[in-house]
Amino acid sequence: QMRTTRKVSVWPVGLVGGRRYERPVVENGRVVGWYTGWRADRPFAIDMAGFAVSLQVILSHPKAVFKRRGSQPGMQESDFLKQITTVEELEPKANNCTKVLVWHTRTEKVNLANEPKYHLDTVNIEV
């Protein structure tokens, strides 16, 4: 699905942010918000594994940088994406962000500390 990215595409990521998954919330084919366990106020409340950028966009924004240092914790993705796109331009993938096709994995026990006690998402996603 990444191959069809025209500018910047997004999708859910499993086992991230202390939840079973985080995802862009999509209405009528447009990203309208974020289902996330941490700092939903971020401009792009998304994990690094949750987006792709076309090479043409990278080439057309030569000053855009992904800061290894200098961003607030958890803001690297937002700081980068703000340089190249807007939320309105995001291209939802994975069946309008209703399927987890990517997992944030580590060689440690999964932390689900931010998982809501009662399922608050509007879609039922299998993880």
Side-chain angles (χ1 to χ4, degrees):
Q1 293 193 16
M2 287 183 222
R3 289 181 180 164
T4 62
T5 298
R6 292 182 308 266
K7 191 169 182 180
V8 179
S9 59
V10 294
W11 49 80
V13 177
L15 305 177
V16 65
R19 288 192 166 192
R20 292 183 312 127
Y21 64 88
E22 293 184 331
R23 73 181 189 94
V25 175
V26 177
E27 291 178 3
N28 300 317
R30 300 270 186 205
V31 174
V32 296
W34 310 97
Y35 181 78
T36 181
W38 187 77
R39 290 212 47 198
D41 64 322
R42 293 174 287 162
F44 295 87
I46 192 167
D47 183 75
M48 276 186 232
F51 67 92
V53 180
S54 79
L55 181 57
Q56 294 305 318
V57 170
I58 297 295
L59 294 175
S60 66
H61 294 85
K63 294 187 183 211
V65 294
F66 195 93
K67 298 177 189 174
R68 189 165 175 221
R69 294 188 180 127
S71 288
Q72 293 178 13
M75 292 296 290
Q76 287 178 313
E77 297 88 345
S78 287
D79 288 347
F80 174 67
L81 290 170
K82 284 190 305 188
Q83 298 172 71
I84 61 172
T85 194
T86 64
V87 172
E88 295 77 24
E89 294 176 314
L90 295 174
E91 305 161 38
K93 301 293 184 187
N95 196 29
N96 272 327
C97 296
T98 62
K99 293 185 183 237
V100 173
L101 304 176
V102 176
W103 287 261
H104 190 272
T105 59
R106 296 182 178 182
T107 55
E108 61 189 39
K109 187 176 178 182
V110 172
N111 172 7
L112 297 178
N114 292 329
E115 186 67 19
K117 190 168 192 150
Y118 302 100
H119 191 68
L120 300 176
D121 199 358
T122 57
V123 298
N124 185 21
I125 296 182
E126 181 179 345
V127 179

